[in-house]
Amino acid sequence: MSYQRINFEDFNASPLSKYTDLASSALGTTIVEVTNEFFAPATNMINPKPPVHAPGKFVATGAWMDGWETKRHNPTYDWAVLKLGFSGSFRGFDIDTHYFTGNQAPAASVEACFCPCGNLEKAEWKEILPKVELPPSCHNVFVLEKDTEVFTHLRLNNIPDGGIARFRAYGQVNPIWSDNKDEVIDLAFVGNGGRRVFCSNEHYTPSSNLLLPGRGGNMGDGWETKRSRTPGHTDYAIIKLGDKGHVFKAEIDTSHYCGNYPAQIKLEATNVADEVPADNAEWTTIVEPSKVGAHSLFYFDTAHPEKVWTHVKFSLIPDGGAKRVRLYGVREGGKIPQLPIPNPEAQVLIDNLAEE
């Protein structure tokens, strides 16, 4: 697989900026096999937060390091296997060696396999990033020439041994769709292939967090922009839906945003073939500017449920933060149900009562 090494400063201008880190533990990715983690566990590598530097902090095995670090003198090489939370294809990687200054892995490579049954003894591994050099204490970003095929597991080879702070694997989720197109689903959810393809500002945290599973633990896993001082300012993120579809209801979650939630939110939608809608794309308002509040869930029935959309623009007026955005609807070709549909929390209660 051909690749190009790029500077981390060029990441936002690269294709990788529109992809999702499928190696993140926030997506349910786990470490299922590892050869050695004498100094620091491999699970550190898939922490979505940046690595932490703690000079002078020691544990029983030596200096505390926020990454995966194996012991010295491996005659071959170490490796760790990641079971992806969602299977997907890949376009590039960041093998981050921050704060490993003389103990970093000097080289690494990446292999992958498609093994939905989880029996890795019979897995056929395919190299998708050949051996690359890793300088100390820096991002090491590699962009593949094209997307790979779909895989369920990755194997990061630590050659021959040493430390890797974080491992980011940028790709696209390959959703497993139900045969029932009438099923109401969250078309924006990362597990259904939704992804952020553009954002006006990510000063504190990335807008891709909006599409993650669950409701998160703090403001660090939502989207928050810097404060604006310009009259009429609006921040926004563009979400490409996992599949074309009708949107019936929006859920805006402001959990943990108690003094920095937006004054209002707005939702617009479009139907275009482009990955990122062009500047002249026609946007239709599906939720008019509406107030939200602190640390809660807010539901909005959308306008134009009969129309099919490919992208939704989520605007913060004028700025602020939100934890999650859910866009409930059906894929193109699905039957439009009786509207309005129940709020998801109410639907859970109805389902539970039906089971009793």
Side-chain angles (χ1 to χ4, degrees), residues 98-272:
H98 264 93
Y99 313 121
F100 289 90
T101 57
N103 54 344
Q104 85 281 359
S109 66
V110 180
E111 297 170 289
C113 72
F114 184 78
C115 186
C117 67
N119 184 5
L120 297 177
E121 292 182 0
K122 298 182 179 180
E124 296 183 7
W125 293 93
K126 179 178 180 179
E127 184 178 80
I128 57 175
L129 180 70
K131 182 179 177 180
V132 292
E133 293 184 359
L134 301 180
S137 197
C138 67
H139 291 280
N140 295 279
V141 182
F142 307 93
V143 182
L144 303 181
E145 182 181 20
K146 61 182 180 180
D147 288 15
T148 68
E149 58 195 274
V150 173
F151 299 108
T152 59
H153 295 73
L154 296 178
R155 184 161 64 192
L156 176 61
N157 297 317
N158 178 336
I159 306 170
D161 53 52
I164 295 170
R166 294 291 187 268
F167 177 51
R168 311 299 190 202
Y170 295 100
Q172 296 189 52
V173 171
N174 181 54
I176 300 173
W177 298 115
S178 166
D179 292 334
N180 179 16
K181 281 196 170 185
D182 298 341
E183 180 182 359
V184 175
I185 61 172
D186 176 8
L187 291 167
F189 178 48
V190 64
N192 289 330
R195 54 198 177 101
R196 180 266 290 127
V197 294
F198 183 84
C199 185
S200 63
N201 183 272
E202 296 180 314
H203 183 78
Y204 290 106
T205 45
S207 56
S208 56
N209 286 346
L210 292 169
L211 316 181
L212 293 177
R215 299 186 66 188
N218 54 52
M219 288 190 297
D221 51 19
W223 171 42
E224 185 179 2
T225 71
K226 65 181 180 180
R227 299 189 187 212
S228 63
R229 307 298 184 187
T230 305
H233 179 85
T234 298
D235 282 316
Y236 65 94
I238 298 177
I239 300 164
K240 183 177 182 183
L241 304 179
D243 199 5
K244 291 182 180 180
H246 306 268
V247 178
F248 309 135
K249 189 178 290 287
E251 175 186 291
I252 308 300
D253 187 350
T254 61
S255 294
H256 304 102
Y257 290 89
C258 297
N260 50 353
Y261 56 89
Q264 292 182 307
I265 61 91
K266 179 182 179 181
L267 291 172
E268 300 165 275
T270 190
N271 187 336
V272 296

